[in-house]
Amino acid sequence: AEYMGVFLLVMEDVSFAVESKISFLKPFEKYVPIVARFFMVATFLEDGLRMIWDSSMQIEYLSPKVSYYGAVTFLFLSCFMQLAGSFLVIIAHPILEFAIYTLLTNVFLQTVVYGIHDHWVLLLRNFAVTGGLLLLLSEKKIKDQRKISLSSPLITISQSTRYLQLIGRALLVLLVVAHLPFESTPYAAVNIILVIISGIFLLFVILGLKTRLSAILLVIIVCISNIFWNSFWSLDYHHPERDFFQYYFFQTISIIGGLLLLISVGPGGISVDERKKSS
C-alpha cells in the first residue's frame, strides 16, 4: 500500500508535468479524434484490401468450411462491410453509428467463420477491437446527447453510455495483453519488465485512474513494440509468417487508435478520475 501511494504521487507529478509541457499542442487536440478514427479502422482497411488481392487463397482456405459459393459470398460481404464501414467512420458520416454496428457484425462473423474462437490470442485481439469500436460508439452517443442538452439542459449523459465507455475501456486493454510477449525470447528480462509496467497502466485504464496519462504511456510502449515485434516488412514476401505479422501490425495500430480516442474523450462517468472531479 505504501509503495502504491508513492507511485500514485509520482503519477500525479508526472501528469502535471506532461500537461504543462504539452500545452502547446492544445490547438491540435481537435485533430486527435480524426487520427484516432483512422487508426482504429486500419485493421479493417488492411483486411478488406487483403481479401481483394489474396481472394484466391482466401477462397481456397474457406471452401472446405463453407463451400466454394459460401466462401465467395462471405468474402464479398466482409470486404464490402469493412471498406464501406471504415470509410464512413473516417469521415464521421451522419450514419456513423450504423457503420460501427456494421464493423462489429463483421468482427463477429469472422470470429465464427474463421474459427478464431479456438485461438485465444486472436480472440483477445478481436475483443479488443470490439472495445475500441464501443468507445467510438459511446463518443458518438455522448456528442448526440450533448447536442440535445443544449436545447434541454435537464438531459445528461445516460448511464448506459457510461457503462458502454467502461466496457470499451476494459475490452480495449485486451489487445495490449495479447500484444505482450509472454513467450520465452532472448530478451526475456526486458519482456518481463515491459509486462509489469504495461500491466500497471492497463489497470489504471480499466479503473479510469490517471487515464489520459496512462493511455499516452501505453501508446508510446505499444508503438515502439509494434515496430520491433511485428515488422512484417523485414520478411520475404513469400515468408509463411509474413501475413500473420502484417495482420498483428495493423490490429495493433487499431489499439493505438482506441487509446488515442481514450486520450481525447476521457474515461467517462464510471471512473476514478471522474469521481475525483465531482468530489
Side-chain angles (χ1 to χ4, degrees):
E2 182 180 347
Y3 289 114
M4 182 55 71
V6 172
F7 183 77
L8 289 174
L9 287 174
V10 171
M11 286 290 285
E12 288 277 359
D13 293 338
V14 172
S15 180
F16 177 77
V18 169
E19 288 177 5
S20 61
K21 292 293 184 183
I22 63 174
S23 57
F24 69 93
L25 294 175
K26 288 285 184 182
F28 301 99
E29 281 186 356
K30 61 182 179 181
Y31 300 110
V32 174
I34 301 172
V35 175
R37 288 197 303 271
F38 181 77
F39 276 27
M40 284 181 66
V41 299
T43 186
F44 297 105
L45 289 172
E46 186 272 337
D47 196 44
L49 292 173
R50 184 204 296 259
M51 286 181 172
I52 296 174
W53 66 60
D54 283 342
S55 57
S56 57
M57 186 177 67
Q58 296 275 354
I59 292 171
E60 182 181 351
Y61 175 78
L62 289 174
S63 291
K65 297 174 181 287
V66 295
S67 80
Y68 174 82
Y69 292 106
V72 172
T73 302
F74 171 77
L75 288 176
F76 174 79
L77 183 63
S78 181
C79 179
F80 177 77
M81 291 171 70
Q82 291 187 96
L83 295 181
S86 297
F87 176 73
L88 293 174
V89 166
I90 291 171
I91 66 173
H93 195 274
I95 60 169
L96 174 63
E97 193 168 333
F98 174 76
I100 295 170
Y101 284 125
T102 300
L103 293 176
L104 285 170
T105 302
N106 181 77
V107 171
F108 173 76
L109 288 175
Q110 286 200 352
T111 301
V112 175
V113 174
Y114 285 102
I116 291 175
H117 52 276
D118 293 330
H119 305 277
W120 74 270
V121 172
L122 293 177
L123 188 61
L124 282 180
R125 286 174 168 269
N126 271 15
F127 275 131
V129 171
T130 300
L133 291 172
L134 290 179
L135 280 176
L136 187 59
L137 182 61
S138 66
E139 184 209 22
K140 173 69 166 59
K141 289 181 177 294
I142 288 171
K143 283 183 177 179
D144 291 344
Q145 289 166 12
R146 282 176 178 166
K147 286 179 182 177
I148 297 173
S149 68
L150 291 176
S151 57
S152 179
L154 295 177
I155 302 294
T156 57
I157 305 302
S158 67
Q159 194 68 5
S160 61
T161 302
R162 295 176 192 272
Y163 278 112
L164 199 61
Q165 288 178 297
L166 174 62
I167 295 170
R169 287 202 321 266
L171 290 176
L172 182 65
V173 301
L174 292 178
L175 187 51
V176 183
V177 174
H179 182 69
L180 294 175
F182 292 104
E183 69 276 4
S184 177
T185 69
Y187 306 100
V190 176
N191 291 345
I192 291 171
I193 294 172
L194 192 60
V195 167
I196 293 172
I197 294 173
S198 299
I200 294 171
F201 295 139
L202 291 175
L203 179 62
F204 278 20
V205 166
I206 294 174
L207 294 175
L209 175 61
K210 294 298 173 190
T211 312
R212 283 192 167 95
L213 175 61
S214 299
I216 289 171
L217 295 173
L218 281 173
V219 164
I220 295 171
I221 292 172
V222 173
C223 277
I224 295 173
S225 59
N226 193 33
I227 292 171
F228 281 99
W229 296 334
N230 297 322
S231 53
F232 67 91
W233 54 86
S234 65
L235 300 174
D236 183 76
Y237 184 78
H238 299 289
H239 193 283
E241 293 187 338
R242 180 188 167 93
D243 280 351
F244 288 104
F245 283 113
Q246 183 173 334
Y247 179 71
Y248 289 160
F249 178 85
F250 283 99
Q251 268 209 331
T252 306
I253 292 293
S254 290
I255 188 193
I256 295 171
L259 290 169
L260 287 174
L261 190 65
L262 193 58
I263 294 167
S264 175
V265 303
I270 305 177
S271 63
V272 176
D273 289 344
E274 197 65 27
R275 289 194 176 186
K276 283 183 177 181
K277 289 180 182 178
S278 58
S279 62

